[in-house]
Amino acid sequence: MTKYYIVEVKYWGPNRNDAKHVDLDRYEIMTTPPRILATGEVCTGGYLGASHNTARYAHGVY
């Protein structure tokens, strides 16, 4: 049975309320487990790290 992982990607850089940044937030459905950016450790719930003005959060496995 295939497992699915939900990852939220949120823009958190400067001028968050500008119209050009409003649509940058999204959810990704993945078949590989998400990893913490700093350590590479698998994480299925919580903060994964940030880069390029976006933060990533894991929201479970289904």
Side-chain angles (χ1 to χ4, degrees):
M1 176 178 245
T2 303
K3 293 182 180 180
Y4 296 97
Y5 304 89
I6 308 298
V7 174
E8 178 182 11
V9 180
K10 292 188 67 125
Y11 178 79
W12 67 290
N15 304 317
R16 282 180 260 203
N17 297 323
D18 278 0
K20 66 181 178 180
H21 297 130
V22 171
D23 292 333
L24 295 179
D25 296 348
R26 66 184 183 277
Y27 286 91
E28 297 176 350
I29 300 171
M30 306 164 50
T31 56
T32 57
R35 298 184 176 272
I36 297 173
L37 294 175
T39 65
E41 180 182 347
V42 171
C43 177
T44 58
Y47 180 69
L48 298 171
S51 65
H52 303 290
N53 294 326
T54 58
R56 298 172 55 86
Y57 302 89
H59 287 287
V61 56
Y62 301 91

